[in-house]
Amino acid sequence: MAGAGISTPSGIPDFRSPGSGLYHNLQRYDLPYAEAIFDMDFFHQNPNPFFALAKELYPGKYRPNMTHYFVRLLHKKSQLLRMYTQNIDGLERLAGIPPQMLVEAHGTFATATCTVCWSKYDGEKLRPDVMSGRVPKCSTCKGVVKPDIVFFGEELPPYFLKYLTDFPLADLLIVMGTSLEVEPFASLADAARGSVTRLLINRDLVGPFAWRRRPHDVVQLGDVVDGVRALVDALGWTREVEALVAAGAEKAAAKTEE
């Protein structure tokens, strides 16, 4: 399970940090309240603030970091059952974690849907408009095309229900970089069997790790990348992770030159 704390090392601001968070930076749009940017009624009235955020977060601007490549290595070693992420930045996919191994609980920019006729679009089709500051319009009905990000009040993607079969099978739950405040994602931490070790790599104690810790819980507090690095070192996987990070950087550099 992962939240915004694994993406901030890549340079992506979190949402709520005073003075630097994404909500703060969007104040110039005179939002009635910060979360209005993810409110469908407000979106229908004024989609511009959301697409300003989309331009900031659209996949390709930021690079994955060691936390993402650690999960990629878990998959490579057939140790990853699934990654549940709150993030909408697409860094998990960019790190090479296959979409079928991901549950992007709060949606994704990889696909999009017309808000009028429900036509489906590949997220890359929207990139030119989003990067130019234009609101993407449907080629069929000229309605606004919205990336498949989950707004407040919308149902989570159907594949979120994979947790019903995934969590009973897990023999280790790693929780990284999340406040465990947003439901229903936060409750997943309690979906693992009571005998299963839960490892929290985080700046702070959160959720059940703060108020209802289990006997097998393990906590590594501090910088998330440092925590992952310590785990990778203990596993003897340092060279393998560093090789994935280097290959990812090389690929990104080659794409930039194109």
Side-chain angles (χ1 to χ4, degrees):
M1 294 173 60
I6 73 165
S7 292
T8 50
S10 292
I12 298 179
D14 63 13
F15 282 93
R16 293 179 171 83
S17 289
S20 62
L22 288 168
Y23 283 151
H24 175 86
N25 294 337
L26 291 163
Q27 285 181 356
R28 64 185 181 276
Y29 288 99
D30 295 323
L31 298 171
Y33 54 95
E35 290 82 0
I37 199 163
F38 292 119
D39 181 281
M40 279 305 297
D41 289 337
F42 183 79
F43 178 84
H44 287 307
Q45 295 171 30
N46 181 10
N48 291 304
F50 171 77
F51 282 106
L53 174 69
K55 183 177 180 180
E56 176 68 23
L57 290 181
Y58 226 71
K61 182 174 181 180
Y62 298 96
R63 295 180 184 177
N65 60 64
M66 180 178 279
T67 64
H68 303 94
Y69 286 111
F70 164 63
V71 182
R72 161 81 182 280
L73 185 58
L74 285 176
H75 169 64
K76 188 177 178 182
K77 291 179 175 290
S78 301
Q79 296 298 309
L80 180 66
L81 175 58
R82 203 88 58 198
M83 182 182 190
Y84 284 71
T85 179
Q86 294 174 282
N87 298 330
I88 58 175
D89 49 48
L91 292 184
E92 295 90 358
R93 292 181 184 231
L94 204 56
I97 302 166
Q100 68 269 22
M101 302 304 294
L102 289 169
V103 172
E104 294 158 312
H106 295 166
T108 176
F109 284 111
T111 55
T113 305
C114 174
T115 55
V116 177
C117 72
W118 309 110
S119 293
K120 298 292 183 181
Y121 288 84
D122 186 298
E124 282 301 303
K125 293 281 188 182
L126 275 62
R127 182 182 292 277
D129 281 337
V130 171
M131 291 302 155
S132 300
R134 297 188 297 267
V135 174
K137 296 294 180 68
C138 177
S139 57
T140 301
C141 74
K142 305 307 178 187
V144 174
V145 179
K146 170 184 161 293
D148 291 335
I149 303 301
V150 179
F151 277 28
F152 293 115
E154 289 189 302
E155 291 186 7
L156 268 59
Y159 50 79
F160 182 76
L161 293 175
K162 286 182 184 290
Y163 83 87
L164 292 169
T165 51
D166 281 348
F167 277 73
L169 294 174
D171 52 19
L172 171 67
L173 174 62
I174 301 174
V175 181
M176 303 189 294
T178 174
S179 63
L180 289 184
E181 288 181 353
V182 180
E183 296 291 356
F185 186 90
S187 295
L188 294 182
D190 285 324
R193 289 172 290 125
S195 59
V196 167
T197 294
R198 301 184 301 183
L199 168 61
L200 176 70
I201 303 176
N202 215 40
R203 286 199 175 276
D204 306 294
L205 288 173
V206 292
F209 296 95
W211 47 269
R212 194 174 66 240
R213 204 179 298 185
R214 296 176 181 176
H216 298 292
D217 287 349
V218 178
V219 171
Q220 173 79 26
L221 294 184
D223 180 83
V224 174
V225 172
D226 287 346
V228 169
R229 186 177 288 112
L231 176 57
V232 167
D233 288 347
L235 290 165
W237 294 356
T238 302
R239 287 186 178 180
E240 291 172 274
V241 169
E242 288 178 348
L244 287 175
V245 172
E250 191 175 313
K251 184 178 178 181
K255 194 169 184 180
T256 301
E257 289 176 6
E258 289 175 5

